[in-house]
Amino acid sequence: YLPKVSEIEHKCFLIDAKDKTLGHIAAKAASILRGKHKRIYTPFLDTGDTVIIINAEKVHVTGKKLTDKVYTRYTGYPGGSRRVTLGQMLKNRPAKVLELAVTRMLPSGPLAYKQAGKLKVYAGETHPHAAQKPVTIEI
């Protein structure tokens, strides 16, 4: 069975990241974004839903990841390698940590970029998506 694009129903889910493990949250969010929780999941169609993650600053990691996990980016200039540890990233940009964790669990390509656009991450408790009536998910 292949669902028609008009038949696909998109919902909105809310995940509270307070005192939850980073990897567990990211895996669950990636699965929902791709639509793998639905019976009509099709790899080449956007069957996924919107995911809102709140309290990104209160996420929990195990082991020595706060000091040992390093995010590397390159500016494009000679010697322009920038390295930031997970601890520094959680302090300065906590929402970016969860965004990177979830988007790196998605495959690359146009469909995954569209699905990643339906991920909304907020550092605090509040979010502006109350009108979408998000369903809370426990992890």
Side-chain angles (χ1 to χ4, degrees):
Y1 171 72
L2 287 177
K4 295 179 180 70
V5 176
S6 60
E7 294 176 354
I8 299 171
E9 202 175 296
H10 298 285
K11 295 181 181 175
C12 188
F13 291 99
L14 177 72
I15 298 175
D16 188 1
K18 185 175 182 182
D19 298 326
K20 303 286 191 317
T21 308
L22 175 64
H24 291 150
I25 295 166
K28 186 68 174 177
S31 177
I32 292 170
L33 286 171
R34 291 207 64 202
K36 288 192 160 194
H37 63 291
K38 295 182 178 181
R39 289 183 310 135
I40 61 167
Y41 168 69
T42 309
F44 55 86
L45 290 178
D46 185 15
T47 56
D49 296 319
T50 302
V51 176
I52 303 165
I53 301 176
I54 57 172
N55 288 324
E57 62 194 5
K58 297 175 184 170
V59 75
H60 175 259
V61 291
T62 58
K64 297 191 295 181
K65 290 186 188 82
L66 286 176
T67 56
D68 291 354
K69 182 169 178 60
V70 177
Y71 293 98
T72 304
R73 67 181 181 88
Y74 188 69
T75 63
Y77 289 96
S81 178
R82 301 287 183 253
R83 300 168 63 85
V84 179
T85 63
L86 176 61
Q88 293 169 334
M89 189 84 111
L90 275 174
K91 189 173 125 186
N92 298 330
R93 301 175 69 187
K96 187 71 173 175
V97 171
L98 272 164
E99 285 176 22
L100 287 173
V102 173
T103 54
R104 289 175 178 181
M105 288 187 181
L106 296 174
S108 58
L111 179 61
Y113 302 145
K114 182 180 176 185
Q115 291 168 343
K118 293 194 284 183
L119 174 68
K120 314 294 180 191
V121 183
Y122 299 98
E125 294 250 348
T126 60
H127 63 87
H129 305 286
Q132 281 72 33
K133 298 183 180 86
V135 178
T136 306
I137 294 179
E138 286 299 319
I139 296 179

